[in-house]
Amino acid sequence: MGFDALSALRASGQWVDLLSTRQRDVLGRLTEEEVEILVRVKRMLDEVAPDVQGHHEFKVL
């Protein structure tokens, strides 16, 4: 079985199930290296985000 990008994103804490089917289809085609980059970027963004943030202020990925 090949690399499952959506499972890897879920395992890293990304809320991919809140995205549309078309968005999940795009993410599902990512390579392992692309997922690693996305997860790293999200982690860096989370590190500089305020402790409390309204959900209307950002789109979850």
Side-chain angles (χ1 to χ4, degrees), residues 11-61:
S12 72
Q14 309 303 316
W15 296 353
V16 295
D17 295 315
L18 296 178
L19 301 173
S20 72
T21 301
R22 291 177 68 191
Q23 290 170 320
R24 284 193 308 273
D25 288 345
V26 169
L27 293 177
R29 292 191 299 268
L30 294 177
T31 66
E32 190 168 356
E33 293 80 15
E34 291 168 327
V35 168
E36 289 173 11
I37 291 168
L38 186 59
V39 169
R40 267 196 319 246
V41 169
K42 178 70 165 76
R43 190 177 308 127
M44 290 187 295
L45 291 172
D46 288 346
E47 288 173 359
V48 297
D51 290 337
V52 178
Q53 195 168 358
H55 292 286
H56 69 281
E57 296 177 17
F58 63 97
K59 182 165 181 127
V60 176
L61 173 64

